[in-house]
Amino acid sequence: MAEKRYGMVIDMRRCIACQACSVACKAEMRVPLEVFATWVKIVEKGKYPNAQRFALPRLCNNCGNPICTRNCPTKATYQREDGIVEIDQHRCIGCKYCIASCPYDVRYYNPLKNIVQKCYWCQHRVDAGLLPACVEGCPTRAMIFGDVDDPRSEVSRLLASNATQVLKKEMQTEPFVFYIGADETAMSNVEEEINYFTEPVYFPKVRL
Amino acid sequence: MEHGDVNVVYTVEHQLPLIMYIGQYFFFTGLSAGSFVISVIATLLGRKEFKPIGKITAILAPILLVVAPLNLIADLEQPLRFWHLMVYYNWTSPITYGSFLLTAYPIVGIIYAFMVYTDRQTPAKVLGILGIPLAISVHGYTGFILALAKARSLWNTAAMPTIFIISAMVSGIGLVVIIAAIRLKWFNKEASPETREQDKRLILQLAQFMAYTIMMDLFLIVSDVLVLLTAHSDALEAGMLILTGNFAPLFVGVEIILGAIIPMILVLGPTRKSLTAVVVASILVNIGVYAMRFVMVIGGQTIPLS
Protein backbone atom coordinates (compact mmCIF):
# COMPACT_ATOMS: atom_id res chain seq x y z
CA MET A 1 0.00 0.00 0.00
CA ALA A 2 1.30 3.41 -0.91
CA GLU A 3 2.29 5.74 1.90
CA LYS A 4 -0.18 8.41 2.85
CA ARG A 5 0.15 11.85 4.37
CA TYR A 6 -3.14 13.41 5.26
CA GLY A 7 -3.61 17.13 4.96
CA MET A 8 -6.39 19.69 4.89
CA VAL A 9 -7.06 22.73 2.77
CA ILE A 10 -9.41 25.41 4.09
CA ASP A 11 -10.62 27.67 1.30
CA MET A 12 -11.47 31.01 2.88
CA ARG A 13 -13.12 32.21 -0.34
CA ARG A 14 -15.87 29.74 0.45
CA CYS A 15 -16.01 29.90 4.25
CA ILE A 16 -19.10 31.71 5.58
CA ALA A 17 -18.08 31.48 9.27
CA CYS A 18 -21.22 29.51 10.15
CA GLN A 19 -19.49 27.45 12.90
CA ALA A 20 -20.96 24.22 11.48
CA CYS A 21 -17.49 22.65 11.80
CA SER A 22 -17.37 23.58 15.51
CA VAL A 23 -20.77 21.99 16.09
CA ALA A 24 -19.99 18.86 14.08
CA CYS A 25 -16.74 18.45 15.98
CA LYS A 26 -18.39 18.89 19.36
CA ALA A 27 -20.93 16.20 18.52
CA GLU A 28 -18.53 13.72 16.93
CA MET A 29 -15.65 14.01 19.38
CA ARG A 30 -17.88 14.50 22.48
CA VAL A 31 -15.95 17.63 23.43
CA PRO A 32 -17.03 18.81 26.91
CA LEU A 33 -18.46 22.22 27.72
CA GLU A 34 -16.15 25.25 27.65
CA VAL A 35 -13.46 23.58 25.51
CA PHE A 36 -13.16 23.24 21.75
CA ALA A 37 -11.16 21.10 19.36
CA THR A 38 -12.32 23.13 16.34
CA TRP A 39 -13.64 26.66 16.28
CA VAL A 40 -13.94 29.59 13.90
CA LYS A 41 -12.20 32.75 15.02
CA ILE A 42 -13.85 35.90 13.67
CA VAL A 43 -12.23 39.34 13.62
CA GLU A 44 -13.58 42.68 12.47
CA LYS A 45 -11.27 45.06 10.62
CA GLY A 46 -11.64 48.76 9.88
CA LYS A 47 -14.24 51.43 10.67
CA TYR A 48 -17.72 51.92 9.21
CA PRO A 49 -18.30 52.16 6.25
CA ASN A 50 -15.07 50.39 5.40
CA ALA A 51 -15.40 47.51 7.85
CA GLN A 52 -15.14 43.85 7.05
CA ARG A 53 -15.29 40.61 8.99
CA PHE A 54 -12.74 37.87 8.47
CA ALA A 55 -12.99 34.33 9.76
CA LEU A 56 -10.45 31.64 10.36
CA PRO A 57 -11.42 28.04 11.16
CA ARG A 58 -8.95 26.68 13.69
CA LEU A 59 -8.09 23.06 14.35
CA CYS A 60 -5.02 20.97 15.06
CA ASN A 61 -2.47 21.31 12.27
CA ASN A 62 -1.24 17.72 12.78
CA CYS A 63 2.20 19.18 12.13
CA GLY A 64 4.98 17.45 10.24
CA ASN A 65 7.39 18.34 13.05
CA PRO A 66 5.17 18.65 16.13
CA ILE A 67 6.45 20.24 19.35
CA CYS A 68 3.85 18.39 21.44
CA THR A 69 5.17 14.90 20.61
CA ARG A 70 8.72 16.06 21.25
CA ASN A 71 7.81 17.48 24.66
CA CYS A 72 5.40 14.76 25.86
CA PRO A 73 7.27 12.97 28.69
CA THR A 74 5.52 9.62 28.22
CA LYS A 75 5.10 9.44 24.43
CA ALA A 76 1.36 9.46 25.07
CA THR A 77 1.03 11.80 22.12
CA TYR A 78 2.65 10.41 19.02
CA GLN A 79 2.51 10.69 15.27
CA ARG A 80 1.09 7.99 13.04
CA GLU A 81 2.68 7.04 9.72
CA ASP A 82 0.01 9.04 7.91
CA GLY A 83 0.86 12.19 9.86
CA ILE A 84 -2.05 12.26 12.28
CA VAL A 85 -0.91 13.22 15.79
CA GLU A 86 -2.75 10.98 18.23
CA ILE A 87 -3.07 10.80 22.02
CA ASP A 88 -3.03 7.49 23.86
CA GLN A 89 -5.66 8.24 26.46
CA HIS A 90 -4.52 5.41 28.72
CA ARG A 91 -0.95 6.63 28.77
CA CYS A 92 -1.51 10.40 29.19
CA ILE A 93 -0.67 11.47 32.73
CA GLY A 94 -2.22 14.91 32.35
CA CYS A 95 0.91 17.00 32.93
CA LYS A 96 -0.49 19.50 30.39
CA TYR A 97 2.99 20.36 29.15
CA CYS A 98 1.81 19.71 25.58
CA ILE A 99 -0.89 22.39 25.99
CA ALA A 100 1.78 24.83 27.13
CA SER A 101 4.05 23.83 24.23
CA CYS A 102 1.55 24.00 21.37
CA PRO A 103 2.01 27.22 19.38
CA TYR A 104 -1.55 26.98 18.07
CA ASP A 105 -3.35 26.48 21.41
CA VAL A 106 -5.48 23.69 19.95
CA ARG A 107 -5.09 21.23 22.81
CA TYR A 108 -7.44 21.15 25.74
CA TYR A 109 -7.73 19.41 29.07
CA ASN A 110 -10.84 17.23 29.21
CA PRO A 111 -12.28 17.59 32.72
CA LEU A 112 -14.47 14.49 32.29
CA LYS A 113 -11.67 12.11 31.33
CA ASN A 114 -8.85 13.96 33.16
CA ILE A 115 -6.55 13.79 30.16
CA VAL A 116 -5.49 16.09 27.34
CA GLN A 117 -7.31 15.84 24.03
CA LYS A 118 -7.23 17.53 20.65
CA CYS A 119 -8.43 17.22 17.07
CA TYR A 120 -6.98 14.17 15.34
CA TRP A 121 -8.83 14.66 12.07
CA CYS A 122 -11.42 12.09 13.20
CA GLN A 123 -8.93 9.29 12.84
CA HIS A 124 -11.65 6.72 13.60
CA ARG A 125 -13.76 7.99 10.68
CA VAL A 126 -10.77 8.35 8.33
CA ASP A 127 -9.67 4.77 9.04
CA ALA A 128 -13.17 3.62 8.16
CA GLY A 129 -13.01 5.45 4.83
CA LEU A 130 -15.13 8.44 5.84
CA LEU A 131 -14.24 12.13 5.98
CA PRO A 132 -13.63 14.02 9.24
CA ALA A 133 -16.83 15.33 10.83
CA CYS A 134 -16.00 19.00 10.23
CA VAL A 135 -15.34 18.36 6.53
CA GLU A 136 -18.56 16.38 6.25
CA GLY A 137 -20.47 19.12 8.06
CA CYS A 138 -19.14 22.10 6.11
CA PRO A 139 -22.09 23.41 4.05
CA THR A 140 -19.97 25.34 1.53
CA ARG A 141 -17.26 22.69 1.04
CA ALA A 142 -14.65 25.12 2.32
CA MET A 143 -12.78 22.34 4.09
CA ILE A 144 -11.15 19.74 1.90
CA PHE A 145 -9.41 16.73 3.40
CA GLY A 146 -7.26 14.12 1.72
CA ASP A 147 -3.88 12.60 0.97
CA VAL A 148 -1.34 15.28 0.03
CA ASP A 149 1.06 12.65 -1.30
CA ASP A 150 -1.46 11.47 -3.87
CA PRO A 151 -1.19 13.89 -6.83
CA ARG A 152 -4.73 13.06 -7.97
CA SER A 153 -6.45 13.97 -4.71
CA GLU A 154 -8.46 17.18 -4.49
CA VAL A 155 -6.18 18.46 -1.73
CA SER A 156 -3.09 18.06 -3.90
CA ARG A 157 -4.75 19.75 -6.86
CA LEU A 158 -5.80 22.71 -4.71
CA LEU A 159 -2.34 22.98 -3.18
CA ALA A 160 -0.73 22.89 -6.63
CA SER A 161 -2.97 25.53 -8.15
CA ASN A 162 -3.44 28.07 -5.33
CA ALA A 163 -1.46 30.41 -3.14
CA THR A 164 -1.66 28.90 0.34
CA GLN A 165 -0.68 29.96 3.82
CA VAL A 166 -0.02 28.13 7.06
CA LEU A 167 -0.17 29.38 10.64
CA LYS A 168 3.08 30.39 12.39
CA LYS A 169 5.53 29.07 9.84
CA GLU A 170 8.35 30.49 11.97
CA MET A 171 7.75 27.80 14.62
CA GLN A 172 9.28 25.14 12.29
CA THR A 173 6.33 22.85 12.89
CA GLU A 174 5.38 22.24 9.21
CA PRO A 175 1.61 22.56 9.66
CA PHE A 176 -0.56 20.42 7.37
CA VAL A 177 -3.64 22.62 7.49
CA PHE A 178 -3.31 24.98 4.54
CA TYR A 179 -5.43 28.10 4.12
CA ILE A 180 -6.36 29.70 0.80
CA GLY A 181 -7.02 33.42 1.05
CA ALA A 182 -6.85 33.67 4.84
CA ASP A 183 -6.62 37.15 6.30
CA GLU A 184 -3.26 38.03 7.83
CA THR A 185 -4.86 39.78 10.82
CA ALA A 186 -7.08 36.82 11.60
CA MET A 187 -4.02 34.56 11.43
CA SER A 188 -2.00 36.63 13.89
CA ASN A 189 -2.64 36.97 17.59
CA VAL A 190 -5.02 39.85 18.13
CA GLU A 191 -6.78 38.66 21.26
CA GLU A 192 -6.76 40.61 24.46
CA GLU A 193 -4.30 39.47 27.08
CA ILE A 194 -6.05 37.58 29.82
CA ASN A 195 -5.80 39.32 33.18
CA TYR A 196 -5.19 36.54 35.66
CA PHE A 197 -5.32 38.95 38.59
CA THR A 198 -9.01 39.55 38.15
CA GLU A 199 -9.61 35.88 37.40
CA PRO A 200 -7.43 33.94 39.84
CA VAL A 201 -7.42 30.53 38.16
CA TYR A 202 -3.75 29.97 38.92
CA PHE A 203 -4.34 28.74 42.46
CA PRO A 204 -4.28 24.98 42.84
CA LYS A 205 -7.76 23.49 42.97
CA VAL A 206 -8.34 20.72 45.46
CA ARG A 207 -9.99 17.88 43.63
CA LEU A 208 -11.04 14.79 45.53
CA MET B 1 -1.16 45.74 18.91
CA GLU B 2 -0.26 47.47 15.67
CA HIS B 3 -3.26 46.29 13.70
CA GLY B 4 -5.33 49.44 14.13
CA ASP B 5 -9.10 48.99 14.12
CA VAL B 6 -9.28 45.31 14.85
CA ASN B 7 -12.01 43.78 16.93
CA VAL B 8 -12.14 40.14 17.91
CA VAL B 9 -15.76 39.13 17.36
CA TYR B 10 -15.50 35.49 18.34
CA THR B 11 -12.84 33.17 19.60
CA VAL B 12 -12.72 30.53 22.30
CA GLU B 13 -11.25 30.91 25.74
CA HIS B 14 -8.15 28.88 26.41
CA GLN B 15 -7.23 27.07 29.59
CA LEU B 16 -4.23 27.89 31.72
CA PRO B 17 -2.29 24.63 31.51
CA LEU B 18 0.43 25.23 34.11
CA ILE B 19 -0.78 26.69 37.39
CA MET B 20 1.09 27.67 40.53
CA TYR B 21 1.80 24.06 41.50
CA ILE B 22 4.52 24.33 38.87
CA GLY B 23 5.70 27.68 40.19
CA GLN B 24 5.89 26.30 43.73
CA TYR B 25 7.78 23.28 42.50
CA PHE B 26 10.31 25.58 40.84
CA PHE B 27 10.55 27.54 44.09
CA PHE B 28 11.16 24.48 46.28
CA THR B 29 13.70 22.81 43.98
CA GLY B 30 15.47 26.16 43.81
CA LEU B 31 15.69 26.33 47.61
CA SER B 32 16.93 22.75 47.70
CA ALA B 33 19.61 23.22 45.03
CA GLY B 34 20.80 26.46 46.63
CA SER B 35 21.14 24.99 50.11
CA PHE B 36 22.86 21.86 48.77
CA VAL B 37 25.50 23.96 47.01
CA ILE B 38 26.11 25.96 50.23
CA SER B 39 26.40 22.73 52.20
CA VAL B 40 28.97 21.26 49.81
CA ILE B 41 31.00 24.47 49.87
CA ALA B 42 31.02 24.30 53.68
CA THR B 43 32.06 20.63 53.63
CA LEU B 44 34.78 21.15 51.04
CA LEU B 45 36.31 24.07 52.92
CA GLY B 46 36.27 21.78 55.95
CA ARG B 47 36.75 24.57 58.51
CA LYS B 48 35.32 23.84 61.95
CA GLU B 49 33.18 26.99 62.13
CA PHE B 50 31.39 26.06 58.90
CA LYS B 51 30.19 22.75 60.36
CA PRO B 52 26.80 23.94 61.70
CA ILE B 53 25.91 25.58 58.38
CA GLY B 54 27.03 22.46 56.51
CA LYS B 55 24.81 20.29 58.69
CA ILE B 56 21.69 22.50 58.48
CA THR B 57 21.88 22.73 54.71
CA ALA B 58 22.69 19.04 54.25
CA ILE B 59 19.40 18.06 55.86
CA LEU B 60 17.46 20.95 54.32
CA ALA B 61 18.24 19.96 50.72
CA PRO B 62 16.64 16.47 50.69
CA ILE B 63 13.66 17.64 52.80
CA LEU B 64 12.87 20.42 50.34
CA LEU B 65 13.32 18.02 47.47
CA VAL B 66 10.76 15.68 48.93
CA VAL B 67 8.27 18.56 49.14
CA ALA B 68 8.97 19.82 45.62
CA PRO B 69 7.87 16.83 43.47
CA LEU B 70 4.71 16.45 45.55
CA ASN B 71 3.59 19.66 43.83
CA LEU B 72 4.24 18.02 40.48
CA ILE B 73 2.28 14.88 41.29
CA ALA B 74 -0.58 16.99 42.65
CA ASP B 75 -0.54 18.93 39.39
CA LEU B 76 -0.99 15.80 37.28
CA GLU B 77 -4.55 15.23 36.16
CA GLN B 78 -3.89 11.48 36.54
CA PRO B 79 -1.70 11.41 39.67
CA LEU B 80 -1.78 7.61 39.92
CA ARG B 81 -0.11 7.36 36.52
CA PHE B 82 3.04 9.19 37.65
CA TRP B 83 5.05 5.99 37.12
CA HIS B 84 4.46 6.33 33.37
CA LEU B 85 7.22 8.94 33.50
CA MET B 86 9.79 6.23 34.28
CA VAL B 87 8.43 3.44 32.11
CA TYR B 88 7.41 5.30 28.95
CA TYR B 89 10.22 7.87 28.96
CA ASN B 90 10.81 10.19 25.99
CA TRP B 91 14.38 11.44 25.74
CA THR B 92 13.45 14.58 23.82
CA SER B 93 11.22 15.83 26.63
CA PRO B 94 12.77 17.91 29.44
CA ILE B 95 10.24 16.41 31.87
CA THR B 96 11.87 13.02 31.30
CA TYR B 97 15.31 14.35 32.26
CA GLY B 98 13.59 15.78 35.29
CA SER B 99 11.95 12.58 36.42
CA PHE B 100 15.32 10.80 36.48
CA LEU B 101 17.22 13.72 38.02
CA LEU B 102 14.53 14.08 40.68
CA THR B 103 15.07 10.43 41.60
CA ALA B 104 18.87 10.47 41.63
CA TYR B 105 19.42 13.79 43.40
CA PRO B 106 17.56 13.10 46.69
CA ILE B 107 19.28 9.70 46.98
CA VAL B 108 22.72 11.33 46.71
CA GLY B 109 21.50 14.12 49.00
CA ILE B 110 20.33 11.73 51.75
CA ILE B 111 23.54 9.65 51.69
CA TYR B 112 25.55 12.88 51.71
CA ALA B 113 23.58 14.17 54.72
CA PHE B 114 24.20 10.85 56.51
CA MET B 115 27.95 11.18 55.88
CA VAL B 116 27.96 14.78 57.08
CA TYR B 117 26.10 13.92 60.29
CA THR B 118 28.28 10.91 61.09
CA ASP B 119 31.30 13.15 60.43
CA ARG B 120 32.89 11.09 57.65
CA GLN B 121 34.76 13.76 55.73
CA THR B 122 36.11 11.95 52.67
CA PRO B 123 32.88 10.24 51.51
CA ALA B 124 31.00 13.46 52.25
CA LYS B 125 33.37 15.42 50.01
CA VAL B 126 33.16 12.87 47.18
CA LEU B 127 29.36 12.75 47.35
CA GLY B 128 29.25 16.52 47.54
CA ILE B 129 31.32 16.89 44.37
CA LEU B 130 29.09 14.29 42.68
CA GLY B 131 25.97 16.01 43.94
CA ILE B 132 26.72 19.56 42.77
CA PRO B 133 26.23 18.83 39.04
CA LEU B 134 23.08 16.90 39.97
CA ALA B 135 21.77 19.79 42.09
CA ILE B 136 22.49 22.27 39.33
CA SER B 137 20.90 20.13 36.63
CA VAL B 138 17.86 19.42 38.82
CA HIS B 139 17.25 23.10 38.83
CA GLY B 140 18.61 23.86 35.37
CA TYR B 141 16.26 21.41 33.68
CA THR B 142 13.26 23.32 35.02
CA GLY B 143 14.55 26.25 32.98
CA PHE B 144 14.57 23.97 29.94
CA ILE B 145 10.95 22.99 30.62
CA LEU B 146 9.99 26.60 30.06
CA ALA B 147 12.56 27.36 27.36
CA LEU B 148 11.61 24.38 25.16
CA ALA B 149 7.93 25.32 25.12
CA LYS B 150 9.01 27.57 22.33
CA ALA B 151 5.73 29.19 21.41
CA ARG B 152 5.71 31.23 24.63
CA SER B 153 8.00 34.16 23.94
CA LEU B 154 8.60 35.00 27.61
CA TRP B 155 9.98 31.49 28.17
CA ASN B 156 11.82 30.78 24.96
CA THR B 157 15.25 32.14 25.82
CA ALA B 158 18.60 30.43 26.23
CA ALA B 159 19.15 32.44 29.42
CA MET B 160 16.22 30.71 31.15
CA PRO B 161 18.12 27.76 32.76
CA THR B 162 20.87 30.13 34.00
CA ILE B 163 18.30 32.57 35.39
CA PHE B 164 16.71 29.68 37.26
CA ILE B 165 20.02 28.41 38.66
CA ILE B 166 21.12 31.86 39.83
CA SER B 167 17.76 32.70 41.38
CA ALA B 168 17.89 29.28 43.08
CA MET B 169 21.20 30.26 44.64
CA VAL B 170 19.71 33.57 45.79
CA SER B 171 16.68 32.02 47.46
CA GLY B 172 18.63 29.04 48.82
CA ILE B 173 21.17 31.25 50.58
CA GLY B 174 18.31 33.39 51.83
CA LEU B 175 16.66 30.37 53.44
CA VAL B 176 19.95 29.22 54.99
CA VAL B 177 20.46 32.68 56.49
CA ILE B 178 16.96 32.64 57.99
CA ILE B 179 17.38 29.17 59.48
CA ALA B 180 20.89 29.86 60.79
CA ALA B 181 19.59 33.03 62.44
CA ILE B 182 16.70 31.12 64.06
CA ARG B 183 19.22 28.58 65.36
CA LEU B 184 21.44 31.33 66.73
CA LYS B 185 18.55 33.11 68.42
CA TRP B 186 16.59 30.25 69.96
CA PHE B 187 18.34 26.88 69.72
CA ASN B 188 22.00 27.45 70.48
CA LYS B 189 21.85 29.29 73.80
CA GLU B 190 24.25 27.06 75.73
CA ALA B 191 27.16 27.71 73.33
CA SER B 192 30.01 29.94 74.40
CA PRO B 193 29.87 33.66 73.47
CA GLU B 194 32.82 33.15 71.09
CA THR B 195 30.99 30.45 69.12
CA ARG B 196 27.88 32.63 68.97
CA GLU B 197 29.96 35.55 67.72
CA GLN B 198 31.54 33.27 65.13
CA ASP B 199 28.10 32.03 64.01
CA LYS B 200 26.89 35.60 63.63
CA ARG B 201 29.94 36.49 61.52
CA LEU B 202 29.28 33.45 59.35
CA ILE B 203 25.66 34.50 58.78
CA LEU B 204 26.78 37.98 57.77
CA GLN B 205 29.32 36.46 55.36
CA LEU B 206 26.62 34.29 53.82
CA ALA B 207 24.47 37.37 53.36
CA GLN B 208 27.31 39.11 51.53
CA PHE B 209 27.55 36.11 49.22
CA MET B 210 23.76 36.38 48.69
CA ALA B 211 24.17 40.02 47.64
CA TYR B 212 26.65 38.99 44.93
CA THR B 213 24.27 36.32 43.60
CA ILE B 214 21.51 38.97 43.54
CA MET B 215 23.77 41.11 41.36
CA MET B 216 24.25 38.24 38.93
CA ASP B 217 20.51 37.61 38.93
CA LEU B 218 19.79 41.27 38.18
CA PHE B 219 22.30 41.23 35.33
CA LEU B 220 20.64 38.18 33.79
CA ILE B 221 17.15 39.68 34.16
CA VAL B 222 18.24 42.96 32.59
CA SER B 223 19.85 41.17 29.64
CA ASP B 224 16.78 38.97 29.19
CA VAL B 225 14.41 41.95 29.20
CA LEU B 226 16.64 43.98 26.86
CA VAL B 227 16.68 41.17 24.31
CA LEU B 228 12.91 40.66 24.69
CA LEU B 229 12.32 44.34 23.94
CA THR B 230 14.41 44.29 20.76
CA ALA B 231 13.47 40.85 19.35
CA HIS B 232 10.39 39.87 17.34
CA SER B 233 6.88 41.21 17.96
CA ASP B 234 5.74 38.45 20.32
CA ALA B 235 8.85 38.97 22.45
CA LEU B 236 8.18 42.70 22.55
CA GLU B 237 4.67 41.94 23.76
CA ALA B 238 6.09 39.69 26.50
CA GLY B 239 8.57 42.38 27.51
CA MET B 240 5.86 45.02 27.72
CA LEU B 241 3.65 42.64 29.70
CA ILE B 242 6.18 42.47 32.52
CA LEU B 243 7.42 46.05 32.28
CA THR B 244 4.19 48.02 31.89
CA GLY B 245 1.38 45.49 31.55
CA ASN B 246 -0.60 43.33 33.94
CA PHE B 247 2.48 41.80 35.51
CA ALA B 248 4.40 45.05 36.04
CA PRO B 249 3.50 45.42 39.77
CA LEU B 250 4.78 41.91 40.46
CA PHE B 251 7.82 42.05 38.20
CA VAL B 252 9.10 45.58 38.76
CA GLY B 253 7.63 46.14 42.22
CA VAL B 254 8.04 42.82 43.99
CA GLU B 255 10.68 40.92 42.04
CA ILE B 256 13.10 43.74 41.22
CA ILE B 257 12.63 46.45 43.86
CA LEU B 258 11.38 44.53 46.91
CA GLY B 259 13.11 41.24 46.14
CA ALA B 260 16.48 42.38 44.79
CA ILE B 261 17.35 46.05 45.19
CA ILE B 262 16.14 46.61 48.78
CA PRO B 263 17.80 43.38 50.10
CA MET B 264 21.02 44.37 48.35
CA ILE B 265 20.96 47.78 50.05
CA LEU B 266 20.18 46.14 53.42
CA VAL B 267 23.05 43.66 53.10
CA LEU B 268 25.69 45.91 51.55
CA GLY B 269 24.65 49.29 53.00
CA PRO B 270 25.16 50.77 56.49
CA THR B 271 23.03 48.03 58.08
CA ARG B 272 25.36 45.25 56.90
CA LYS B 273 26.45 44.41 60.49
CA SER B 274 22.89 43.99 61.77
CA LEU B 275 21.49 40.48 62.02
CA THR B 276 17.90 41.73 61.84
CA ALA B 277 18.54 43.63 58.61
CA VAL B 278 20.16 40.57 57.06
CA VAL B 279 17.25 38.33 58.02
CA VAL B 280 14.73 40.84 56.67
CA ALA B 281 16.73 40.95 53.44
CA SER B 282 16.63 37.15 53.23
CA ILE B 283 12.86 37.06 53.69
CA LEU B 284 12.43 39.77 51.03
CA VAL B 285 14.68 37.83 48.67
CA ASN B 286 12.52 34.73 49.03
CA ILE B 287 9.36 36.75 48.40
CA GLY B 288 11.04 38.19 45.31
CA VAL B 289 12.06 34.79 43.96
CA TYR B 290 8.55 33.43 44.54
CA ALA B 291 7.18 36.42 42.61
CA MET B 292 9.68 35.64 39.84
CA ARG B 293 8.31 32.09 39.56
CA PHE B 294 4.79 33.51 39.38
CA VAL B 295 5.66 36.05 36.69
CA MET B 296 7.47 33.42 34.63
CA VAL B 297 4.95 30.59 34.86
CA ILE B 298 1.66 32.51 34.83
CA GLY B 299 2.83 35.61 32.94
CA GLY B 300 4.32 33.50 30.17
CA GLN B 301 0.95 31.94 29.51
CA THR B 302 -1.18 35.08 29.50
CA ILE B 303 -0.02 36.15 26.05
CA PRO B 304 -2.58 34.63 23.71
CA LEU B 305 -1.33 32.34 20.96
CA SER B 306 -4.25 32.50 18.57
Side-chain angles (χ1 to χ4, degrees):
Chain A
M1 206 169 89
E3 272 190 27
K4 276 185 178 173
R5 192 6 167 146
Y6 288 120
M8 189 181 279
V9 171
I10 301 181
D11 192 341
M12 296 312 297
R13 298 168 299 192
R14 288 176 170 181
C15 177
I16 54 172
C18 65
Q19 305 277 3
C21 47
S22 318
V23 176
C25 176
K26 273 266 188 193
E28 177 71 28
M29 302 268 288
R30 299 188 184 178
V31 181
L33 280 177
E34 295 186 348
V35 286
F36 293 86
T38 301
W39 70 96
V40 183
K41 177 179 167 185
I42 304 171
V43 298
E44 233 167 28
K45 257 181 20 176
K47 274 204 171 85
Y48 179 82
N50 296 317
Q52 175 75 43
R53 277 186 177 189
F54 294 96
L56 189 77
R58 293 292 316 276
L59 68 167
C60 178
N61 287 297
N62 289 275
C63 305
N65 180 19
I67 306 175
C68 49
T69 58
R70 200 192 311 151
N71 280 353
C72 175
T74 59
K75 289 185 184 161
T77 180
Y78 60 94
Q79 193 155 32
R80 303 204 315 176
E81 291 276 293
D82 55 14
I84 294 178
V85 177
E86 249 269 65
I87 297 169
D88 182 344
Q89 54 174 322
H90 300 291
R91 194 182 271 203
C92 175
I93 58 171
C95 69
K96 294 164 285 180
Y97 186 37
C98 53
I99 309 182
S101 313
C102 177
Y104 307 104
D105 235 346
V106 290
R107 291 176 160 250
Y108 60 89
Y109 158 61
N110 183 334
L112 302 178
K113 289 185 159 179
N114 291 337
I115 53 162
V116 174
Q117 287 186 323
K118 71 175 194 74
C119 158
Y120 49 75
W121 280 341
C122 289
Q123 169 255 120
H124 55 287
R125 290 174 61 94
V126 171
D127 286 350
L130 299 167
L131 285 171
C134 52
V135 177
E136 198 89 71
C138 184
T140 55
R141 279 183 37 79
M143 298 173 113
I144 297 105
F145 179 82
D147 182 5
V148 290
D149 281 353
D150 175 8
R152 287 166 304 169
S153 70
E154 195 183 352
V155 172
S156 301
R157 278 192 279 112
L158 280 170
L159 283 177
S161 55
N162 285 285
T164 58
Q165 300 99 52
V166 293
L167 287 168
K168 294 192 188 174
K169 202 179 164 74
E170 71 276 9
M171 286 291 156
Q172 303 284 350
T173 46
E174 298 169 32
F176 270 79
V177 172
F178 302 91
Y179 294 90
I180 298 176
D183 178 62
E184 194 266 333
T185 310
M187 289 172 81
S188 53
N189 101 42
V190 285
E191 279 176 57
E192 286 291 304
E193 271 160 25
I194 314 136
N195 189 343
Y196 284 109
F197 289 102
T198 54
E199 260 178 282
V201 288
Y202 43 82
F203 287 129
K205 303 183 285 288
V206 178
R207 205 186 56 232
L208 297 173
Chain B
M1 258 141 272
E2 73 273 52
H3 296 290
D5 294 314
V6 174
N7 215 351
V8 178
V9 179
Y10 176 80
T11 188
V12 300
E13 241 177 68
H14 296 290
Q15 296 161 322
L16 186 70
L18 307 182
I19 56 174
M20 267 317 273
Y21 273 132
I22 305 295
Q24 270 161 35
Y25 159 72
F26 290 167
F27 183 66
F28 282 120
T29 36
L31 288 177
S32 170
S35 46
F36 189 80
V37 170
I38 293 295
S39 173
V40 173
I41 291 172
T43 310
L44 286 182
L45 290 177
R47 299 242 296 274
K48 196 164 171 288
E49 60 264 34
F50 291 160
K51 280 255 169 75
I53 295 287
K55 280 189 175 176
I56 296 173
T57 43
I59 199 73
L60 210 54
I63 289 176
L64 287 166
L65 212 85
V66 169
V67 179
L70 288 180
N71 282 296
L72 285 184
I73 291 182
D75 179 64
L76 293 185
E77 299 298 345
Q78 294 279 358
L80 292 179
R81 291 187 190 166
F82 73 92
W83 54 272
H84 285 199
L85 286 166
M86 300 289 174
V87 182
Y88 307 121
Y89 53 84
N90 177 9
W91 287 121
T92 54
S93 168
I95 294 183
T96 295
Y97 325 148
S99 50
F100 287 93
L101 287 169
L102 281 171
T103 319
Y105 169 63
I107 294 174
V108 173
I110 287 168
I111 301 174
Y112 166 80
F114 177 73
M115 295 303 174
V116 167
Y117 272 78
T118 52
D119 215 8
R120 280 177 244 185
Q121 287 298 324
T122 320
K125 279 181 187 171
V126 171
L127 280 169
I129 291 168
L130 277 178
I132 279 195
L134 267 180
I136 287 178
S137 30
V138 144
H139 203 60
Y141 104 87
T142 59
F144 284 114
I145 285 191
L146 296 190
L148 296 188
K150 67 176 176 186
R152 315 271 172 181
S153 42
L154 188 61
W155 297 351
N156 184 21
T157 150
M160 195 53 71
T162 324
I163 292 179
F164 268 69
I165 290 166
I166 299 298
S167 62
M169 290 300 294
V170 174
S171 66
I173 301 171
L175 184 72
V176 174
V177 167
I178 295 168
I179 288 180
I182 289 173
R183 175 175 172 274
L184 183 68
K185 191 104 186 18
W186 285 296
F187 293 98
N188 205 15
K189 285 203 170 129
E190 66 276 7
S192 62
E194 294 89 69
T195 333
R196 288 175 64 79
E197 193 53 43
Q198 217 168 45
D199 276 5
K200 190 187 167 190
R201 238 187 2 249
L202 201 64
I203 292 171
L204 295 179
Q205 270 174 14
L206 265 179
Q208 299 281 312
F209 187 35
M210 183 173 81
Y212 301 135
T213 52
I214 295 174
M215 281 176 199
M216 277 157 75
D217 197 26
L218 278 179
F219 168 72
L220 282 171
I221 289 171
V222 167
S223 46
D224 184 27
V225 171
L226 266 182
V227 174
L228 276 181
L229 291 180
T230 49
H232 53 91
S233 56
D234 280 4
L236 176 69
E237 203 180 323
M240 295 317 275
L241 173 80
I242 57 173
L243 282 184
T244 59
N246 287 335
F247 282 79
L250 261 182
F251 177 73
V252 181
V254 181
E255 184 185 335
I256 302 292
I257 295 175
L258 199 68
I261 292 176
I262 292 179
M264 216 154 70
I265 294 169
L266 282 175
V267 171
L268 297 176
T271 53
R272 65 179 175 276
K273 294 270 184 284
S274 149
L275 197 63
T276 324
V278 163
V279 170
V280 169
S282 305
I283 293 170
L284 287 180
V285 150
N286 270 292
I287 293 173
V289 171
Y290 193 86
M292 177 261 182
R293 310 296 194 230
F294 187 94
V295 171
M296 277 300 162
V297 175
I298 309 295
Q301 297 173 83
T302 54
I303 300 161
L305 293 177
S306 63

